[in-house]
């Protein structure tokens, strides 16, 4: 960034200051859409391995909230999942409509109910010039699937991963699992060089060792306290990438990242946690929010009195005004949602009309105070009751809105602000002690089975997230049936039935569709959405033509 | 105080330090142990995990062992300076602290120097210009600085000197001496101003008190030059309470800079301490608690040695015996 550019930015900042002050003082903003950036269209992605722009960009300065401790994809690495895929790629990609597209694999085929074969693209090389082989994929996936891996749960249906020849990877499942088809396109199925990982088994991914991949940007250095540097790989299979260097800076919070964007020290922040606050600090017009397949929800402990009474749960569902909850999220939400399974995830199961017709049949709980009162009157606690609701840091505002709405119904919620660790321990601890709580789903996978994480007896185990402690036998059967077939029509029926059951029993009250937000005044991220970080997303960074300057 | 007495004092302090660290490590371990949520919960982050992984992690961190066994397992490694791996990041604790130590120490020393300069010098000037306009101005300024918490000061400085007039960087800590100096000026100022304001008032009061003493008047009466009286008599005596305060400051700047570290994204020791406490990262919390205890004891020892240097009449034997 040149001095002149900084000066002009500083002047712009002065000009924007007044507007920002007004916006900051107006109290949340009535519109609900975060910043003026949301008004423009996010452009489309290019073909596999190709960059959306051909404009040469000598250096892209990226800001990330939270640090990257390691590039080892099997460990907890906070913001690591956003930089790992710049250098380590997946075999497939999720297209704009949720369909699968080729990436490192040029072709793939489901050979039988349980066997999938992937043919690797010709001419893909690692950064040291050696060729990508099926052995590397086998090694990477087995590493990710190992019991001590943080990603093992995504591989739980895998029986074996084989490399019958140099270009073919064969995956055999223990039983049919329709959600597997998407796994090779996800950030938890990225591929790295076997030889390098084996030689550095003890320190793989750590700052001094890093990792070797096939991606468009090479990992040059990593410092967990400050940032990381990446440089373009000239022999990238998709052609030399136009961004020569990617310099990533880690920020402790949104606020300091927003000021750095405003000062011109970073060009883009690919993920912003609190869009409205960020936008106000960054000077306005910086953020773009798009919906994801994640559903924020209120979980009701179905086996604990007084929540074990279905009329209480239905009363709660009627008493929630989702618009107000959305407004309390400071731009994190992309809109109200009254289905646990996001319609985005149902899309691949049929034509738009078929899916819509199926979803229209599902009984909903719109905001209706009278219906809520009537349901509560039918319950075992007609006069209301008191309860405690823990709120993790960041969930306080939404929890307060929920508590205020339930207070009108006669349910008096005491909000208990707890730390992250305590909250994690509570929601995945002993099932009968899992609390009434608000939660966001966060990252989602592209299959309608994604929300299974909240349901069924398997997710009552310690470390699993059936927070509502809801596991009727017929629901377990539905969950199993949904994975056992790949026939879209059949799956549409099964997941619609599951939605019916959810409406009937109300273990969860769906609140809103979660959004994901990037911030920049000069760039856009093409194809930005639920799975933006499962591909080398800097390939999709494109200079903004209508950008503010 | 003789050289031997000083060595004895240092020896006693070091023995006390070992005892202190032993007690502290047990107390901290107990407190983290009774706090809700475990290291496994923090590592999994509320995301679904296989039962095998939960079991593996529980065994790896000995969370299924009785409390005293857990403490003993930590202690016997710590005795040979093996502080283990962070349960959150899986990197060795000593590495994690090591990469943050340099910048945190730089920031602490930088802020300390700024505090001394911005606190003591104006404090003396204010005392010498008592009830004059300059004194009033300095004291008023000190009240403002004193009532501004460092993180507010940090954001203000950031906005003024990194956004409006971009002469300093908005984030990061820099490499090499001058780059670090440039990167850490705003954070050090943010940290220093509040404490410097306190020190200014402290120095001013102490100096005024000393200037009122009879020996100053007698020194002047004996015909000694004003400069000589000021430096040899007034300043040296006024400095003792200031040194008392400053002893604890270095350790405070080192470990207590968490808000400033967050504001400027410095990735320092303070942030690490907060993060490890939030995530029940026992090996990290223990190592940091010990590090900070050692620093506090050592900086107080340095302050005591500074007393001796300033005023050789001061004795410690009686106190520590």
């Amino acid at each position: 960034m040149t001095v002149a550019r900084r000066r002009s930015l500083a002047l712009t900042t002065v000009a924007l200051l007044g507007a920002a002050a007004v916006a900051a003082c107006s109290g949340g903003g009535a519109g609900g859409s975060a910043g003026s950036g949301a008004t423009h269209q996010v452009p489309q992605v290019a073909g596999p391995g190709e960059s959306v722009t051909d404009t040469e960009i000598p250096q892209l300065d990226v800001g990330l909230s939270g640090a990257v401790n390691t590039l080892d994809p099997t460990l907890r690495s906070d913001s690591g999942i956003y930089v790992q895929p710049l250098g380590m790629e997946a075999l497939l990609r999720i297209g704009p409509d949720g369909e699968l597209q080729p990436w490192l694999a040029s072709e793939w085929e489901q050979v039988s109910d349980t066997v999938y074969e992937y043919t690797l693209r010709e001419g893909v090389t690692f950064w040291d010039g050696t060729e990508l082989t099926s052995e590397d994929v086998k090694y990477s996936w087995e590493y990710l699937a190992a019991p001590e891996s943080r990603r093992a749960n995504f591989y739980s249906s895998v029986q074996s991963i084989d490399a019958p020849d140099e270009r073919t990877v064969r995956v055999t499942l223990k039983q049919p699992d329709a959600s597997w088809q998407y796994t090779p396109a996800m950030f938890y199925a990225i591929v790295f060089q076997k030889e390098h990982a084996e030689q550095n088994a003890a320190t793989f991914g750590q700052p001094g060792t890093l990792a070797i991949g096939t991606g468009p940007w090479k990992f040059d250095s990593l410092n967990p306290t400050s940032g990381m540097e990446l440089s373009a790989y000239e022999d990238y299979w998709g052609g030399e990438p136009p961004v020569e260097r990617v310099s990533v800076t880690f920020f402790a919070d949104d606020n300091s990242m927003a000021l750095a964007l405003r000062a011109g020290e970073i060009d883009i922040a690919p993920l912003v946690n609190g869009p409205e606050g960020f936008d106000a600090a960054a000077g306005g017009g910086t953020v773009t929010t798009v919906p994801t397949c994640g559903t924020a929800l209120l979980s009701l402990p179905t086996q604990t009195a007084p929540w074990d009474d279905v009329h209480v749960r239905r009363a709660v569902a009627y008493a929630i005004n989702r618009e107000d909850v959305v407004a309390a999220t400071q731009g994190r939400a992309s809109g109200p949602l009254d289905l646990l399974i996001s319609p985005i995830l149902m899309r691949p199961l049929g034509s738009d009309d078929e899916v819509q017709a199926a979803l229209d049949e599902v009984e909903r709980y719109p905001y209706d105070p009278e219906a809520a009162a009537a349901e509560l009157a039918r319950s075992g606690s007609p006069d209301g009751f008191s309860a405690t609701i823990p709120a993790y840091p960041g969930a306080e505002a939404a929890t307060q809105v929920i508590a205020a709405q339930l207070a009108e119904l006669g349910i008096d919620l005491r909000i208990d602000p707890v730390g992250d660790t305590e909250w994690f321990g509570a929601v995945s601890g002993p099932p009968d002690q899992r609390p009434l709580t608000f939660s966001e789903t966060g990252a989602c996978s592209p299959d309608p089975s994604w929300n299974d994480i909240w349901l069924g007896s398997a997710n009552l185990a310690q470390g699993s997230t059936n927070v509502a402690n809801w596991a009727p036998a017929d629901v377990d059967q539905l969950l199993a049936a949904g994975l056992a077939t790949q026939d879209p029509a059949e799956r549409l029926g099964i997941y619609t039935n599951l939605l019916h059951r959810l409406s009937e029993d109300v273990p969860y009250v769906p609140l809103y569709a979660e959004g994901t937000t990037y911030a920049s005044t000069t760039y856009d991220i093409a194809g930005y959405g639920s799975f933006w970080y499962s591909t080398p997303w800097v390939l999709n960074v494109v200079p903004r033509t209508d950008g503010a300057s | 105080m003789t050289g031997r007495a000083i060595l004895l004092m240092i020896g006693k302090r070091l023995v006390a330090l070992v005892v202190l660290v032993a007690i502290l490590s047990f107390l901290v371990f107990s407190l983290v142990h009774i706090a809700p949520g475990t290291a496994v919960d923090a590592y999994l982050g509320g995301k679904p995990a296989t039962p095998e992984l939960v079991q593996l992690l529980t065994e790896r961190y000995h969370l299924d062992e009785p409390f005293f066994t857990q403490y003993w397992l930590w202690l016997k490694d710590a005795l040979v300076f093996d502080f283990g791996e962070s349960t959150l990041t899986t990197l060795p604790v000593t590495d994690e602290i090591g990469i943050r130590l340099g910048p945190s120490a730089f920031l602490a020393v930088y802020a300390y120097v700024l505090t001394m300069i911005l606190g003591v010098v104006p404090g003396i000037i204010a005392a010498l210009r008592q009830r004059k306009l300059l004194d009033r101005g300095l004291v008023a300024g000190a009240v403002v600085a004193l009532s501004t918490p460092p993180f507010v000061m940090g954001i203000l400085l950031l906005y003024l000197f990194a956004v409006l007039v971009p002469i300093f960087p908005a984030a990061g800590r820099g490499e090499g001496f001058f780059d670090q100096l440039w990167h850490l000026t705003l954070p050090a100022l943010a940290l220093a101003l509040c404490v410097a304001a306190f020190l200014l008032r402290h120095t001013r009061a102490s100096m005024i008190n000393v200037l009122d003493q009879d020996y100053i008047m007698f020194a002047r009466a004996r015909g000694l030059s004003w400069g000589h009286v000021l430096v040899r008599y007034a300043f040296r005596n006024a400095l003792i309470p200031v040194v008392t305060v400053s002893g604890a400051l270095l350790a405070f700047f080192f470990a207590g800079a968490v808000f400033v570290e967050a504001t400027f994204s410095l990735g320092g020791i303070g942030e690490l301490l907060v993060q490890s406490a939030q995530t029940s990262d026992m090996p990290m919390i223990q190592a940091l608690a010990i590090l900070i205890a050692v620093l506090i004891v050592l900086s107080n020892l340095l302050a005591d040695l500074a007393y001796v240097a300033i005023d050789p009449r001061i004795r410690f034997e009686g106190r520590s015996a």
Side-chain angles (χ1 to χ4, degrees), chain A residues 10 13-14 17 69 75-76 147-150 153 206 225 251-252 256 259 263 265 421-422 424-425 441 453 462-465, chain B residues 36 38 41-46 48-49 53-54 88-91 100 158-159 162-163 169-171 173 262-263 265 271 278-279:
Chain A
T13 309
V14 174
L17 179 62
N69 303 307
L75 300 176
R76 182 193 160 114
E148 63 272 22
S149 161
R150 187 78 184 69
N153 57 317
Q206 290 186 10
T225 61
F251 291 89
S256 54
L259 287 172
E265 287 179 28
T421 304
E422 181 176 355
F424 296 151
T441 303
I453 60 168
Q462 196 199 343
S464 297
T465 51
Chain B
T38 67
D41 295 325
Y43 181 80
L44 296 179
L53 178 60
V54 175
L88 186 73
T89 67
T90 65
L91 297 178
R100 287 169 174 84
L158 200 56
Y159 185 69
V163 175
R173 52 199 218 173
T263 306
S265 296
E271 256 182 289
Q278 281 170 345
T279 57

Side-chain angles (χ1 to χ4, degrees), chain B residues 142-162:
Chain B
V143 170
V144 173
L146 199 57
S147 12
T148 312
F151 65 94
V152 174
M153 188 65 84
I155 292 173
L156 183 69
L157 290 173
L158 200 56
Y159 185 69
L160 291 179
F161 300 110

Side-chain angles (χ1 to χ4, degrees), chain A residues 61-66 247-251 257 265-271 537:
Chain A
D61 291 309
V62 174
L64 279 181
S65 186
S247 178
V248 184
T249 307
F250 307 143
F251 291 89
M257 189 158 73
E265 287 179 28
I266 57 169
D267 299 316
I268 191 164
L271 187 66
W537 56 271

Side-chain angles (χ1 to χ4, degrees), chain A residues 183-199:
Chain A
T183 301
M186 300 303 289
F187 65 92
Y188 40 80
I190 52 177
V191 174
F192 44 87
Q193 195 188 46
K194 175 185 178 182
E195 190 189 351
H196 175 262
E198 270 185 339
Q199 281 171 0

Side-chain angles (χ1 to χ4, degrees), chain B residues 88-126:
Chain B
L88 186 73
T89 67
T90 65
L91 297 178
V93 164
T94 39
D95 286 9
E96 287 270 30
I97 295 177
I99 47 173
R100 287 169 174 84
L101 204 57
S104 269
F106 196 107
L107 177 65
V109 172
Y110 194 177
Y112 185 79
V113 171
L114 285 180
T115 306
M116 288 299 138
I117 295 171
L118 298 175
V120 174
V121 177
I124 293 170
I125 294 172

Side-chain angles (χ1 to χ4, degrees), chain A residues 517-538:
Chain A
T517 303
Y518 67 85
S520 177
T521 53
T522 44
Y523 293 96
D524 277 307
I525 304 177
Y528 190 73
S530 307
F531 317 113
W532 66 271
Y533 53 86
S534 279
T535 50
W537 56 271
V538 174

Side-chain angles (χ1 to χ4, degrees), chain B residues 38-238:
Chain B
T38 67
V40 175
D41 295 325
Y43 181 80
L44 296 179
K47 301 277 182 240
T50 59
E52 293 79 21
L53 178 60
V54 175
Q55 184 59 31
L56 269 168
L57 291 171
T58 305
E59 280 167 22
R60 184 184 301 166
Y61 303 137
H62 311 292
L63 295 179
D64 44 357
E65 304 277 358
F67 171 71
F68 284 103
T69 317
Q70 286 187 42
Y71 181 67
W72 168 245
L73 288 168
W74 172 83
L75 185 68
K76 78 179 164 46
D77 287 340
L79 285 175
V80 291
F81 295 99
D82 174 4
F83 292 101
E85 286 168 2
S86 160
T87 57
L88 186 73
T89 67
T90 65
L91 297 178
V93 164
T94 39
D95 286 9
E96 287 270 30
I97 295 177
I99 47 173
R100 287 169 174 84
L101 204 57
S104 269
F106 196 107
L107 177 65
V109 172
Y110 194 177
Y112 185 79
V113 171
L114 285 180
T115 306
M116 288 299 138
I117 295 171
L118 298 175
V120 174
V121 177
I124 293 170
I125 294 172
L128 296 177
R129 293 275 176 281
Q130 224 186 121
R131 290 195 265 287
K132 300 268 170 46
L133 191 63
L134 186 62
D135 176 36
R136 300 274 190 232
L138 284 171
V139 171
V143 170
V144 173
L146 199 57
S147 12
T148 312
F151 65 94
V152 174
M153 188 65 84
I155 292 173
L156 183 69
L157 290 173
L158 200 56
Y159 185 69
L160 291 179
F161 300 110
V163 175
L164 275 188
V165 191
I167 47 176
F168 288 106
R173 52 199 218 173
E175 308 283 336
F177 182 78
F178 289 104
D179 196 31
Q180 284 198 60
L181 204 64
W182 182 54
H183 273 86
L184 295 179
T185 297
L186 292 184
L189 261 181
L191 262 184
L193 278 175
C194 180
V195 185
F198 171 73
L199 202 65
L200 184 153
R201 292 169 63 89
H202 205 69
T203 310
R204 178 179 174 275
S206 169
M207 195 71 180
I208 288 173
N209 183 34
V210 171
L211 288 175
D212 276 347
Q213 299 293 319
D214 291 343
Y215 59 79
I216 299 289
M217 196 196 292
F218 285 122
R220 299 281 327 254
R222 288 210 311 276
L224 292 176
S225 76
W226 182 221
H228 190 81
V229 172
L230 211 57
V231 176
R232 298 274 308 177
Y233 291 70
F235 186 52
R236 271 183 96 153
N237 283 299

Side-chain angles (χ1 to χ4, degrees), chain A residues 232-317:
Chain A
Y233 175 39
E234 316 84 63
D235 295 327
Y236 180 58
W237 59 269
E240 187 175 348
V243 177
E244 268 177 54
R245 282 186 311 282
V246 181
S247 178
V248 184
T249 307
F250 307 143
F251 291 89
D253 59 22
D254 265 11
N255 217 0
S256 54
M257 189 158 73
L259 287 172
L261 183 75
R262 196 168 182 166
E265 287 179 28
I266 57 169
D267 299 316
I268 191 164
L271 187 66
V272 165
N273 290 317
E276 284 177 14
F278 183 98
D279 200 46
T286 60
V287 295
T288 304
T289 302
V290 302
T292 74
C293 46
T295 306
L297 45 83
L298 176 69
S299 66
L300 307 169
T302 55
Q303 308 303 313
T304 314
W307 309 104
D308 56 352
D309 185 333
V310 71
H311 297 294
V312 168
R313 303 200 296 272
R314 287 177 187 165
V316 168

